[in-house]
């Protein structure tokens, strides 16, 4: 059979099941902006304050967060990106290719749970800003203490649900604009509050050197004592959390969906835009803002929520940053949860399934404990998916090096007679769900068993308290790799499948030819190079620059508290004006580019 004979079948395949074509790949700037936008979010307010409450020291924060985030960057670059670039597939598609329907359904169910909880936490964070508009008291218990707060959550939450159902593309595009603004606002908020914090701690609003910063940090921010008055976490715990916070996406390989568009493997280093600016700087800035707000309000950081902190640091812009950061993050994760649920309940439309998942999400969001426990939730969520990342890593990276056959489970199915279709037909039917008996018969039982035993191993280590739970993903990942390699070698991976491998190679050639024809037919995307659009972009960057300059004036131009009050008042006003200008001009420029592409097509 020739390669071209596959083409009619390929045209009928869902594009999501195919590798990303060459003409749709992106350069490094795309990923730098993407990660800067995604990893400067509402969670940073919560996590930054959590480090304060957990009692880390200043040097532990400065050094530990740097080391942990660098390790996360290397994890994306050395583990996730190579697999994504070599396969050009999302994890969901690649996992289905490796392990079939049963494993995919189980994994999708886990993702529904994880992304629903994260979405709920972000909705609650957004509501901490909205509650200030209605003078609702801070929600300090694990359950809601105000019926009006519940109504706010229901209102904000249902907006999120409806947008995830109908308007996610617009929100995703808008979210891309938020990255630079969020970075500037986190930095500016810390600068704007630091003089007041310094005056309360060392009796002066200006620093004379780095030693003053360390002294203020040790005495009022990262004191080494937790909120219960006991010795806090140490350097290793700080490093561990910074590394483990995104295990879902790097060791767990979820970000294959993003990095499959990368032209080169080295673009994994672009995650530094999110880790160093988003996590390192934003977590430190959030800690400063939280401690400064606690000093000004004569409270403790555990009695404050993100709305309190953001409003005190940024004025009216604080409302915007909490609502926008929480809203965009919640929408993205609820959309993911809806896709995962729809893959399970395939007889129902994505909109209906997303609505059902959204209702459950909003109900969970009414309970403030969800966002207050975001740090352990993220860590445990990573522990759930890391074994799956280990299974995929083993099959893709290790199997070819030790003589085992990649995609052996799929090949075995084809050889057994249950897969008597052409490779292209097999791909096309991969999204067509079959009965439970058929799924069970064709399941990659080695993968399912490895995931189950890997979970028992990881959570068992946690139960026995063998090590800090921040690092549990490492032995769990390694254990699952070894176990899956052993089980697969006994289940068929050690056999050779020459006919099936030959058909796979022919299919890949046919896919590349088909996509080359598509690229010629579609043409190149149009970039808006008009003078007016350049002016709009320039106006947006000027607005950000003015905001940052005003914050620097507050930080370094306030000789006493009287000068500080004047300067911070100006900053609040101009910061809000610049926020409006930035989003107005940037969104206008985005719409002009979209309109130009619609005209061209």
């Amino acid at each position: 059979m020739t390669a071209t004979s596959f083409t009619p079948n390929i045209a009928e395949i869902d594009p999501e099941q195919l590798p990303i074509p060459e003409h749709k790949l992106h350069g490094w700037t795309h990923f730098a902006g993407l990660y800067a936008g995604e990893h400067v979010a509402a969670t940073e307010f919560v996590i930054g304050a959590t480090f304060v409450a957990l009692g880390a020291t200043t040097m532990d924060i400065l050094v530990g967060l740097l080391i942990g985030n660098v390790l996360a960057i290397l994890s994306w670059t050395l583990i996730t990106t190579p697999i994504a670039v070599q396969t050009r597939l999302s994890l969901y598609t690649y996992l289905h290719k490796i392990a079939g329907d049963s494993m995919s359904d189980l994994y999708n169910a886990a993702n529904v749970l994880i992304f629903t909880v994260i979405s709920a936490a972000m909705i609650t964070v957004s509501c901490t800003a909205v509650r200030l508009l209605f003078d609702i008291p801070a929600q300090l218990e694990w359950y809601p203490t105000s019926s009006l707060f519940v109504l706010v959550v229901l209102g904000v939450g249902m907006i999120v649900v409806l947008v995830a159902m109908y308007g996610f593309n617009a929100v995703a595009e808008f979210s891309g604009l938020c990255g630079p603004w969020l970075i500037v606002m986190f930095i500016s908020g810390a600068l704007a509050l630091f003089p007041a914090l310094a005056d309360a701690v060392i009796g002066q609003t200006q620093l004379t050197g780095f030693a003053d910063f360390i002294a203020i940090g040790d005495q009022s921010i990262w004191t080494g004592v937790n909120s219960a008055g006991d010795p806090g976490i140490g350097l290793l715990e700080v490093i561990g959390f910074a590394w483990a916070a995104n295990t879902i996406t790097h060791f767990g390989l979820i970000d294959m969906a993003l990095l499959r568009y990368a032209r080169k493997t080295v673009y994994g280093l672009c995650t530094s835009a999110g880790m160093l600016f988003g996590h390192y700087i934003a977590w430190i800035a959030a800690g400063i803002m939280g401690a400064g707000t606690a000093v000004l309000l004569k409270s403790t950081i555990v009695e404050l929520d993100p709305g309190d902190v953001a409003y005190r640091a940024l004025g009216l812009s604080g409302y915007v940053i909490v609502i926008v950061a929480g809203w965009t993050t919640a929408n993205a994760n609820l959309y993911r949860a809806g896709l995962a649920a729809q893959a399970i309940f395939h007889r129902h439309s994505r909109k209906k399934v997303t609505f059902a998942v959204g209702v459950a999400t909003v109900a969970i969001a009414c309970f403030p404990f969800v966002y207050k426990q975001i740090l352990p939730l993220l860590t445990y969520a990573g522990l759930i998916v890391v074994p799956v990342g280990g299974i995929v890593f083993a099959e893709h990276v290790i199997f070819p090096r030790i003589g085992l056959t990649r995609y052996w489970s799929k090949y075995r199915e084809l050889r057994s007679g249950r897969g008597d279709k052409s490779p292209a037909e097999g791909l096309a039917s991969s999204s067509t769900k079959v009965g439970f008996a058929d799924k069970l018969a064709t399941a990659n039982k080695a993968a399912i068993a490895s995931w189950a035993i890997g979970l028992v191993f990881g959570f068992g280590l946690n139960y026995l308290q063998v090590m800090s739970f921040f690092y549990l993903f490492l032995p769990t990942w390694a254990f699952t790799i070894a176990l899956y390699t052993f089980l697969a070698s006994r289940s068929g991976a050690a056999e050779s499948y020459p006919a099936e491998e030959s058909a796979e190679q022919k299919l890949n050639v046919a896919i590349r030819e088909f996509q080359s024809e598509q690229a010629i037919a579609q043409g190149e995307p149009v970039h808006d190079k008009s003078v007016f659009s350049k002016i709009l972009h320039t106006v947006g960057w000027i607005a950000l620059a003015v905001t940052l300059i005003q914050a620097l004036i507050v930080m370094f131009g306030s000789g006493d508290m009287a000068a500080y009050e004047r300067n911070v008042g100006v900053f609040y006003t101009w910061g809000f004006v610049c926020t409006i200008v930035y989003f107005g001009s940037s969104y206008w420029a985005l719409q002009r580019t979209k309109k130009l592409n619609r005209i061209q097509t």
Side-chain angles (χ1 to χ4, degrees):
M1 185 179 291
T2 63
T4 55
S5 66
F6 288 108
T7 302
N9 303 102
I10 295 171
E12 299 173 2
I13 298 172
D14 184 344
E16 188 63 30
Q17 302 293 325
L18 299 176
I20 297 300
E22 184 74 22
H23 65 281
K24 291 187 177 181
L25 303 183
H26 296 291
W28 69 270
T29 55
H30 170 83
F31 297 96
L34 190 67
Y35 277 93
E38 182 173 351
H39 292 280
V40 187
T43 47
E44 313 336 328
F45 280 105
V46 182
I47 294 173
T50 299
F51 281 120
V52 177
L54 288 176
T57 67
T58 304
M59 289 306 298
D60 286 345
I61 288 294
L62 296 180
V63 176
L65 289 185
L66 180 61
I67 295 173
N69 282 302
V70 168
L71 289 172
I73 293 166
L74 293 176
S75 299
W76 267 298
T77 305
L78 300 177
I79 297 174
T80 316
T81 313
I83 300 176
V85 169
Q86 290 163 23
T87 64
R88 299 294 181 198
L89 298 172
S90 70
L91 174 63
Y92 306 104
T93 302
Y94 197 43
L95 181 63
H96 188 279
K97 191 172 184 178
I98 289 173
D101 281 335
S102 298
M103 182 74 172
S104 297
D105 284 351
L106 290 171
Y107 187 69
N108 284 328
N111 276 293
V112 171
L113 175 64
I114 291 168
F115 292 130
T116 295
V117 172
I118 294 174
S119 299
M122 294 304 96
I123 291 172
T124 310
V125 168
S126 288
C127 292
T128 64
V130 178
R131 74 162 183 83
L132 295 174
L133 299 174
F134 296 97
D135 198 28
I136 301 172
Q139 302 297 291
L140 303 178
E141 303 294 338
W142 66 269
Y143 54 87
T145 57
S146 167
S147 57
L148 188 54
F149 178 78
V150 173
L151 292 177
V152 168
V153 172
L154 294 177
V156 173
M158 291 315 299
I159 292 173
V160 170
V161 172
L162 291 173
V163 171
M165 290 170 60
Y166 295 102
F168 178 75
N169 287 338
V171 173
E173 293 166 348
F174 181 72
S175 298
L177 304 178
C178 295
W181 178 78
L182 285 167
I183 291 172
V184 168
M185 297 309 287
F186 267 99
I187 296 173
S188 297
L191 293 173
L193 272 181
F194 207 83
L197 184 60
D199 182 72
V201 177
I202 62 174
Q204 59 189 46
T205 56
Q206 294 181 320
L207 306 183
T208 58
F210 186 67
D212 284 346
F213 175 82
I214 296 296
I216 294 170
D218 286 340
Q219 293 180 47
S220 65
I221 309 175
W222 305 286
T223 62
V225 178
N226 65 26
S227 56
D230 299 321
I233 61 175
L235 178 64
L236 288 178
E237 284 79 11
V238 175
I239 293 172
F241 175 73
W243 192 7
N246 288 103
T247 46
I248 298 175
T249 54
H250 48 70
F251 270 76
L253 300 180
I254 289 290
D255 269 5
M256 282 178 63
L258 303 178
L259 293 167
R260 60 183 167 155
Y261 289 92
R263 293 189 185 278
K264 301 177 182 179
T265 300
V266 73
Y267 291 173
L269 293 174
C270 293
T271 57
S272 57
M275 295 301 99
L276 298 184
F277 288 100
H279 286 186
Y280 185 68
I281 292 178
W283 287 349
I284 292 173
I288 294 172
M289 285 189 279
T293 300
V295 168
L296 293 174
L297 296 180
K298 295 180 174 55
S299 181
T300 63
I301 199 165
V302 296
E303 296 177 310
L304 303 173
D305 60 30
D308 293 316
V309 174
Y311 178 70
R312 179 61 62 171
L314 298 165
L316 292 176
S317 296
Y319 289 127
V320 181
I321 192 173
V322 175
I323 294 172
V324 167
W327 185 38
T328 54
T329 307
N331 267 294
N333 284 290
L334 182 56
Y335 180 74
R336 290 169 177 151
L339 285 177
Q342 199 271 334
I344 301 172
F345 303 102
H346 56 278
R347 292 186 178 86
H348 302 280
S349 69
R350 184 193 64 80
K351 289 181 180 179
K352 290 182 179 179
V353 174
T354 300
F355 178 78
V357 173
V359 170
T361 301
V362 174
I364 296 171
C366 293
F367 295 85
F369 83 93
V370 179
Y371 89 84
K372 291 179 180 293
Q373 298 299 318
I374 193 66
L375 188 150
L377 284 174
L378 289 175
T379 304
Y380 289 130
L383 192 59
I384 291 173
V385 302
V386 156
V388 177
I391 291 167
V392 174
F393 182 87
E395 181 126 0
H396 185 84
V397 177
I398 295 178
F399 280 21
R401 288 168 169 78
I402 61 174
L404 299 183
T405 303
R406 192 186 288 168
Y407 315 139
W408 63 274
S409 182
K410 173 186 172 183
Y411 295 159
R412 187 187 59 175
E413 179 185 345
L414 291 170
R415 180 179 290 181
S416 69
R418 289 187 290 265
D420 54 347
K421 305 170 183 172
S422 73
E425 289 172 333
L427 258 182
S429 65
S430 65
S431 59
T432 303
K433 302 300 180 181
V434 295
F436 177 76
D438 290 328
K439 290 182 182 181
L440 189 61
T442 59
N444 183 336
K445 297 179 179 63
I448 296 174
S450 298
W451 188 18
I453 298 172
L455 291 177
V456 173
F457 177 81
F459 284 98
L461 290 179
N462 181 61
Y463 177 77
L464 296 173
Q465 296 184 341
V466 173
M467 60 193 302
S468 169
F469 75 98
F470 294 128
Y471 290 97
L472 290 175
F473 71 95
L474 287 172
T476 302
W477 185 71
F479 173 80
T480 309
I481 289 174
L483 178 62
Y484 178 65
T485 302
F486 172 77
L487 293 178
S489 68
R490 297 295 188 274
S491 303
E495 301 176 24
S496 59
Y497 304 83
E500 290 78 10
E501 288 181 330
S502 176
E504 179 83 14
Q505 291 170 1
K506 290 179 180 179
L507 173 62
N508 291 333
V509 171
I511 289 173
R512 286 193 292 271
E513 291 177 357
F514 175 75
Q515 291 176 336
S516 296
E517 295 172 1
Q518 276 189 319
I520 296 172
Q522 292 175 3
E524 294 292 326
V526 180
H527 299 284
D528 186 2
K529 298 181 180 180
S530 65
V531 173
F532 185 65
S533 291
K534 290 180 179 178
I535 291 173
L536 289 174
H537 285 298
T538 301
V539 169
W541 286 107
I542 290 174
L544 294 182
V546 170
T547 301
L548 188 57
I549 289 170
Q550 287 291 334
L552 289 169
I553 291 173
V554 175
M555 176 70 182
F556 298 105
S558 302
D560 53 37
M561 284 303 292
Y564 170 74
E565 294 294 342
R566 291 194 301 271
N567 290 334
V568 81
V570 173
F571 166 73
Y572 287 161
T573 300
W574 282 103
F576 185 61
V577 170
C578 289
T579 290
I580 296 173
V581 171
Y582 172 77
F583 280 116
S585 61
S586 298
Y587 193 69
W588 192 353
L590 172 65
Q591 293 304 309
R592 284 176 57 85
T593 300
K594 289 178 61 180
K595 182 178 180 181
L596 183 61
N597 276 282
R598 284 196 298 268
I599 292 173
Q600 293 294 325
T601 56

